[in-house]
Amino acid sequence: FPLSLCPSLCCQCGVPIPPNPANMCVGCLRAQVDITEGIPKQGTVHFCKQCERYLQPPGTWVQCALESRELLALCLKKIKASLSKVRLIDAGFIWTEPHSKRLKLKLTVQKEVINGAVLQQVFVVEYVVQSQMCEDCHRIEAKDFWKAVVQVRQKTVHKKTFYYLEQLILKHRLHQNTLRIKEIHDGLDFYYSSKQHAQKMVDFLQCTVPSRSKSSQRLISHDIHSNVYNYKSTFSVEIVPICKDNVVCLSPKLAQSLGNMSQICVCIRVTSTIHLIDPRTLQIAEIDGNTYWRHPFNSLFHPKQLEEFIIMDINRVHEKKKGAGAGARSNKHTLAEAWVRKTSELDTDHQYFCCTHLGHILNPGDLVLGFDLANCNLNDEFANKMNPQHIPDVVLIKKSYDRSKRQRRRNWKLKELERDREATDTDDERQYQDFLEDLEEDETIRKNVNIYRNADIPVESDTDDDGAPRISLAEMLEDLHISQDATGGEGAEMLT
């Protein structure tokens, strides 16, 4: 037999062993040498309960799931210096009860010992999870530590544009970096820990809604030795004071530049531009923020001045000649001539004649909401200079449905921003219901909003449908609730 295969005796206990450079059995070798000496068997991991992140020294907080590769790497970095003298072969987690606040790592290491013999050893390192609030959560809890604020304002009575803007912020997750969101009577304030995050919000607003902005900064402190300045920045964003369903009066110059539109127009939606339609010709136009601030105009009425009319007779106009230089017309609306009567004046014979862009949904006997221009005082600089013959008696805005029935059938919901409210207005609920109805009626706006199915309300059949617009199930998202914290919350499973 070769000499290397001949059995030899351990120099310590005399047990026959295969030949090795140390001439000792594994038991005696481990009794003589501990290759894990100097490697800490216990440690501490800091965890923030608020944001569910772990501290990665010196000051970085990272998101890690239980038994994930990220958490394993974080734990190994804490003993990286001690592992430099051995060779790490394998590392993994040992299961611990989620609420024990303990993390156990099973490590396998190798090291060359006496006379070149390689010894392999398995040991366990236990980490205690200690709670510590991170700096970001400290700032959120303090509610007064901020470096930049974005003040969003809109000088209108109705908040439709803000409700739409809120859904866009939620969809694009622009609220994640905010320290605090404060709601006041004419807008929102967004507080940030850095100027860059505030500037990102301002850029988003300018791309989303027609607006203008200006910025300023205030010196808080100055270190003359290191020449470091500490500023607080303020960004002021003003949204155009026009909302959906507003009746506006354009300046003659602006109406001419838009293709000789009528000065009296209806705002059908507000996205990144103001979408207007001429109820007499179906001519449409879009006005961006820069154009509006060069040629500003105001709303002639506020939503509380809407009156209910009943359609006495309606005649759809299929062909209407375009005027000189006329612009594009809407393909989603139908021009019609209608005779209407106020529901408050049914005991009289007083009727009004008007042209409307709602000919595709109106029929005799339908109820419709509109503004009465014939019996009101228009306090507008452009309307006062118009020829009275060019001002319509009535402008119809939208068809009227039973609101209580629509609320009962509404099997969907929206998410809301978590914000501080100073005082809740009794009119806010009515305005929010108006916004929900606008989503049901306008598919274009609905595409930019995340709509979630409300499982608490069953889906009803359409047998008793009054024709009110509804959102299909295909357009709704499932609202998922994942209840699991980073320490393995109640009912959570250990991730593999």
Side-chain angles (χ1 to χ4, degrees), residues 10-13 15-17 20 22-34 119-121:
C10 175
C11 64
Q12 293 288 333
C13 61
V15 176
I17 58 171
N20 61 66
N23 289 326
M24 283 191 290
C25 64
V26 175
C28 295
L29 189 60
R30 287 179 176 173
Q32 294 287 331
V33 181
D34 183 13
L119 183 62
Q120 179 172 307
Q121 192 168 342

Side-chain angles (χ1 to χ4, degrees), residues 233-458:
S233 303
T234 301
F235 296 87
S236 178
V237 180
E238 183 181 359
I239 303 175
V240 295
I242 305 297
C243 293
K244 185 181 184 298
D245 296 338
N246 283 164
V247 176
V248 299
C249 184
L250 309 178
S251 65
K253 184 177 180 180
L254 179 58
Q256 184 180 8
S257 66
L258 296 176
N260 292 327
M261 290 183 69
S262 299
Q263 288 182 245
I264 304 294
C265 297
V266 178
C267 177
I268 54 177
R269 77 177 62 89
V270 177
T271 54
S272 58
T273 57
I274 304 172
H275 299 257
L276 300 178
I277 188 169
D278 183 355
R280 288 186 170 185
T281 61
L282 296 187
Q283 188 172 335
I284 55 176
E286 296 184 16
I287 300 177
D288 58 9
N290 294 330
T291 304
Y292 175 84
W293 298 118
R294 287 198 305 267
H295 306 281
F297 52 88
N298 297 315
S299 174
L300 300 181
F301 301 91
H302 55 79
K304 290 184 179 180
Q305 293 175 288
L306 278 170
E307 298 187 61
E308 192 175 57
F309 296 85
I310 185 171
I311 303 294
M312 307 304 296
D313 190 18
I314 188 167
N315 180 30
R316 292 170 179 81
V317 180
H318 298 288
E319 293 184 4
K320 190 174 181 67
K321 293 183 179 179
K322 281 189 176 183
R329 291 185 178 179
S330 174
N331 296 323
K332 297 182 180 180
H333 300 83
T334 302
L335 185 62
E337 297 174 346
W339 286 95
V340 298
R341 181 183 297 178
K342 290 184 181 180
T343 55
S344 59
E345 299 177 354
L346 291 179
D347 54 343
T348 66
D349 295 333
H350 192 191
Q351 295 187 8
Y352 301 88
F353 175 79
C354 65
C355 292
T356 179
H357 59 290
L358 304 176
H360 57 295
I361 59 175
L362 295 181
N363 295 295
D366 287 344
L367 297 177
V368 61
L369 299 177
F371 295 108
D372 181 7
L373 280 72
N375 301 314
C376 69
N377 294 323
L378 296 178
N379 187 15
D380 185 82
E381 58 173 329
F382 303 129
N384 293 335
K385 298 177 182 179
M386 287 182 61
N387 187 343
Q389 297 180 354
H390 295 162
I391 299 178
D393 293 339
V394 172
V395 177
L396 302 181
I397 300 300
K398 59 180 180 180
K399 189 175 179 179
S400 178
Y401 301 96
D402 186 353
R403 169 165 287 186
S404 60
K405 186 180 292 185
R406 294 182 74 170
Q407 291 183 14
R408 290 196 307 269
R409 291 180 174 178
R410 188 169 291 137
N411 58 343
W412 55 274
K413 60 183 178 179
L414 301 176
K415 292 187 176 180
E416 297 183 8
L417 288 174
E418 294 183 2
R419 55 188 183 269
D420 299 334
R421 291 181 170 89
E422 287 187 348
T424 57
D425 192 356
T426 55
D427 195 43
D428 287 351
E429 180 61 28
R430 183 189 64 83
Q431 295 184 18
Y432 188 67
Q433 293 298 326
D434 289 343
F435 172 69
L436 298 182
E437 292 175 3
D438 291 342
L439 288 180
E440 294 174 337
E441 296 168 4
D442 195 339
E443 184 181 357
T444 305
I445 297 179
R446 203 161 61 230
K447 290 180 180 179
N448 301 327
V449 176
N450 283 343
I451 298 173
Y452 298 90
R453 184 175 180 272
N454 190 355
D456 298 334
I457 300 179

Side-chain angles (χ1 to χ4, degrees), residues 133 135-149 178-182 189-194 218 220 230-233 420:
M133 187 178 291
E135 294 182 358
D136 295 336
C137 294
H138 262 299
R139 293 168 182 169
I140 295 174
E141 291 296 323
K143 294 186 178 180
D144 59 355
F145 186 90
W146 54 273
K147 292 291 184 67
V149 59
T178 56
L179 301 177
R180 179 190 183 193
I181 302 176
K182 183 179 180 182
D189 289 344
F190 297 87
Y191 294 90
Y192 294 91
S193 60
S194 67
R218 179 165 56 98
I220 303 301
N230 183 18
Y231 290 98
K232 278 193 174 184
S233 303
D420 299 334

